[in-house]
Amino acid sequence: MESEEPLAKKVKIEPDESKEITDVKDEIDVKNIKKESNYRLCPYLDTINRQFLDFDFEKLCSVSLTRINVYACLVCGKYFQGRGTNTHAYTHSVAESHHVFLNLHTLKFYCLPDNYEIIDSSLDDIKYLLNPIFTEDQIKMLDVSSKLTRAIDGSLYTPGIVGLNNIKANDYCNVVLQALSHVKPLRDYFLREESYSNVKRPPGDSTYLLVTRFGELMRKLWNPRNFKVHVSPHEMLQAVVLWSRKKFQFTEQGDPIDFLSWFLNELHRALNGNKKRKSSIIYRSFLGSMKIYSRKIPPTELDDKQKRTLLATPEYQETVTESPFLYLTCDLPPPPLFIDEFRENIIPQVNLYQLLTKFNGQTEKEYKTYKENFMKRFEITQLPPYLILYIKRFTKNTFYVEKNPTIVNFPVKNVDIGEFLTPENKEKHKNTIYDLVANIVHDGEPDKGTYRVHILQKSTGKWYEMQDLHVIDILPQMITLTEAYIQIYELRNV
């Protein structure tokens, strides 16, 4: 027992000795910090010019056009590859005396040509500009907070209400992207990268990048710390051109409804969506369903007896199909062909409810194909949380595209779709009242017109008109006087 006593004393550490060990550890840490601080402090931070920083464009080297290991010069805003000796970034640093660079992939800052990492909290705003991050609490406040944000040039803006740059002729894409950015479940989903970062796609399939590009654009549109009051959709549009196989270009005018239809279906597919209603955020937001009743019409040149004989055959019996939809096509009545001299300034008008009678399950409409004619009627069986209405203004004939200028009179609030449902379908729906959240408008001639969009900012209840970079507030009464083309309505949950 006595022999064990000294051993116990050797093992035991007194409080004072423990403090000495802690002090030694702290001293080592301080030495390490001092050693590391040589690599953290940078005398060139005041040369950074935030006015020139723009991370909206494709992240490729401005000299070699490569996308690998690209750095942004924080003095002039240009992109260069590499940071080692003889790289384009290194050469630029020596030639122009621009020293501060940001790796666009790792989000780390470096000083060149000395090639050391800069760690400084004053650069966090630049990092946030490149990659805005939203918490769940911040997202909840987007439709509540009416706080304005100040850009670097001093101008004030509301997050979400910022212009989109028109590269050449991409206003037809811009209006759709702006409208979708104000569909709440879609916006909330794409503002958090965690929502879709675990989606697995087959090897070699690159359509998932369409999802990441849209997420990046959504975060930039709602960024509360933007350096400027507009965003360029350049990377998003590059992805659209690539994955639509050049069907949609930003150098040629296109049709927003074609783009919207393609884009929603591609996003749904890239998110591994299937035919089930809840398989993706796209279907959860926009998918409705209807029954289509269709019957074949006998040729007009036949006599009554031949018609009756044909109508008795199975081929001419009415068929019913259940069909999902992402948007409803509303047909405008044809404008008057002849207007006398006293009525030449009168613009034809129609009520939205009149257009929606097409879907009450009773109204029949004739549809012609190359060989056969059909009578069809439509019955809505399931209403979506967000209802997209496409008002068909353009008709193509052999020679040219014709535009119907009829004004659609519609309420901005309290659009009750319930009156177009059958009693059985109405019982299935707790709520049937919709409020407008976005209204896309076409102005001008069919072949060379332009598009603009009206957006409701929920936090303030104000309406804004956006046409590329131009953003102005507008009275809701003025919205109803425009040539509406695509509308998005939100189902009211009461």
Side-chain angles (χ1 to χ4, degrees):
M1 292 291 293
E2 291 178 6
S3 62
E4 290 178 7
E5 187 67 26
L7 185 63
K9 283 182 179 178
K10 284 179 185 176
V11 173
K12 187 179 177 184
I13 297 174
E14 295 296 326
D16 290 344
E17 290 175 10
S18 174
K19 185 174 182 298
E20 284 176 17
I21 290 171
T22 307
D23 291 343
V24 170
K25 184 175 180 297
D26 288 345
E27 194 175 328
I28 293 168
D29 285 346
V30 167
K31 284 179 181 177
N32 286 338
I33 290 167
K34 284 179 180 177
K35 188 179 177 183
E36 287 176 10
S37 66
N38 296 330
Y39 300 94
R40 294 182 177 190
L41 302 175
C42 180
Y44 300 111
L45 294 186
D46 59 342
T47 64
I48 295 173
N49 195 334
R50 284 169 170 79
Q51 299 274 12
F52 292 161
L53 300 187
D54 190 343
F55 301 126
D56 293 345
F57 294 95
E58 250 189 312
K59 295 167 178 60
L60 47 83
C61 174
S62 57
V63 180
S64 64
L65 302 182
T66 182
R67 291 178 172 80
I68 302 167
N69 201 23
V70 178
Y71 290 77
C73 173
L74 301 186
V75 182
C76 65
K78 293 178 181 176
Y79 295 171
F80 300 96
Q81 184 190 23
R83 75 171 194 273
T85 312
N86 297 327
T87 61
H88 298 300
Y90 185 95
T91 306
H92 174 76
S93 170
V94 173
E96 303 293 334
S97 293
H98 293 175
H99 300 289
V100 190
F101 289 79
L102 167 63
N103 186 307
L104 295 174
H105 181 67
T106 63
L107 273 66
K108 289 183 177 181
F109 298 89
Y110 294 92
C111 182
L112 297 182
D114 297 343
N115 200 5
Y116 60 83
E117 184 179 354
I118 305 165
I119 299 174
D120 196 299
S121 59
S122 68
L123 301 173
D124 287 349
D125 62 329
I126 297 174
K127 198 183 292 186
Y128 193 88
L129 178 69
L130 176 58
N131 185 33
I133 297 169
F134 290 80
T135 65
E136 289 184 4
D137 291 335
Q138 284 175 318
I139 292 172
K140 285 176 185 173
M141 292 301 294
L142 290 178
D143 291 334
V144 180
S145 172
S146 55
K147 185 181 177 183
L148 293 174
T149 304
R150 192 178 296 278
I152 276 188
D153 62 359
S155 54
L156 293 169
Y157 73 95
T158 306
I161 306 295
V162 292
L164 277 176
N165 193 21
N166 190 340
I167 298 165
K168 188 174 181 185
N170 55 279
D171 54 324
Y172 76 99
C173 291
N174 287 356
V175 290
V176 169
L177 296 171
Q178 289 279 23
L180 292 178
S181 73
H182 285 263
V183 174
K184 187 180 185 302
L186 201 67
R187 178 200 69 191
D188 295 355
Y189 180 86
F190 279 98
L191 284 182
R192 285 185 66 80
E193 205 171 355
E194 299 90 335
S195 305
Y196 52 87
S197 56
N198 294 324
V199 174
K200 297 285 188 294
R201 294 294 299 164
D205 179 35
S206 59
T207 53
Y208 177 70
L209 286 175
L210 199 66
V211 174
T212 57
R213 290 282 183 269
F214 186 55
E216 287 167 8
L217 180 66
M218 196 76 84
R219 290 195 293 278
K220 286 174 180 176
L221 285 173
W222 287 91
N223 185 1
R225 303 186 215 163
N226 258 335
F227 286 3
K228 54 192 187 310
V229 294
H230 66 270
V231 172
S232 177
H234 192 271
E235 282 193 291
M236 175 80 245
L237 295 175
Q238 289 278 26
V240 167
V241 173
L242 181 63
W243 288 296
S244 70
R245 294 180 177 86
K246 299 186 179 178
K247 180 183 176 183
F248 301 104
Q249 302 269 7
F250 49 78
T251 54
E252 296 173 18
Q253 186 66 283
D255 193 331
I257 192 61
D258 292 341
F259 173 65
L260 176 63
S261 178
W262 172 85
F263 188 60
L264 291 180
N265 281 294
E266 283 298 308
L267 281 182
H268 173 70
R269 191 169 68 86
L271 291 168
N272 290 335
N274 52 41
K275 292 182 179 180
K276 293 180 181 176
R277 183 174 299 280
K278 295 188 177 180
S279 60
S280 80
I281 187 65
I282 305 299
Y283 273 21
R284 289 200 295 273
S285 302
F286 300 112
L287 190 71
S289 62
M290 65 167 78
K291 283 181 180 175
I292 302 176
Y293 299 85
S294 180
R295 61 185 179 86
K296 201 171 172 183
I297 305 171
T300 51
E301 62 269 16
L302 300 179
D303 59 35
D304 291 345
K305 186 179 178 182
Q306 289 173 313
K307 286 182 182 178
R308 283 197 299 272
T309 306
L310 278 178
L311 290 172
T313 60
E315 187 184 352
Y316 283 82
Q317 300 305 303
E318 188 172 65
T319 58
V320 184
T321 54
E322 188 80 26
S323 175
F325 66 84
L326 287 174
Y327 63 87
L328 296 177
T329 303
C330 298
D331 303 312
L332 287 173
L337 291 174
F338 304 103
I339 300 175
D340 60 37
E341 57 181 332
F342 300 107
R343 297 185 57 206
E344 61 183 359
N345 293 323
I346 295 175
I347 300 170
Q349 298 186 27
V350 66
N351 194 289
L352 178 67
Y353 287 95
Q354 199 175 323
L355 302 183
L356 292 173
T357 54
K358 171 183 175 181
F359 305 102
N360 62 8
Q362 297 170 3
T363 306
E364 279 195 318
K365 183 174 170 60
E366 187 175 351
Y367 289 84
K368 297 181 179 181
T369 62
Y370 180 66
K371 290 182 178 179
E372 300 167 324
N373 294 351
F374 292 88
M375 292 298 287
K376 292 186 179 183
R377 53 194 179 95
F378 306 90
E379 176 191 320
I380 296 175
T381 55
Q382 179 71 48
L383 288 171
Y386 284 81
L387 180 66
I388 302 176
L389 297 182
Y390 157 50
I391 298 166
K392 194 174 181 182
R393 290 198 175 274
F394 302 109
T395 50
K396 295 178 183 177
N397 57 33
T398 313
F399 304 104
Y400 56 90
V401 178
E402 194 176 9
K403 179 184 175 183
N404 188 329
T406 302
I407 297 293
V408 179
N409 295 316
F410 57 89
V412 173
K413 289 185 175 181
N414 302 319
V415 178
D416 191 358
I417 307 294
E419 62 184 81
F420 305 104
L421 302 178
T422 61
E424 303 82 45
N425 289 322
K426 195 169 182 179
E427 281 181 15
K428 293 191 297 183
H429 292 84
K430 183 183 173 186
N431 302 316
T432 57
I433 295 176
Y434 284 85
D435 297 324
L436 188 69
V437 292
N439 179 55
I440 294 173
V441 176
H442 179 266
D443 298 309
E445 298 299 316
D447 51 347
K448 51 189 175 187
T450 56
Y451 294 95
R452 55 196 165 107
V453 62
H454 300 119
I455 295 290
L456 172 65
Q457 175 64 16
K458 286 189 178 179
S459 60
T460 59
K462 287 184 179 178
W463 281 91
Y464 291 88
E465 180 177 279
M466 300 185 192
Q467 189 166 20
D468 301 327
L469 297 177
H470 303 287
V471 180
I472 57 168
D473 53 355
I474 186 172
L475 293 171
Q477 297 91 318
M478 300 299 291
I479 297 169
T480 60
L481 303 176
T482 57
E483 295 177 7
Y485 190 54
I486 301 171
Q487 299 182 320
I488 302 180
Y489 288 87
E490 179 184 27
L491 184 64
R492 189 186 297 173
N493 291 316
V494 289

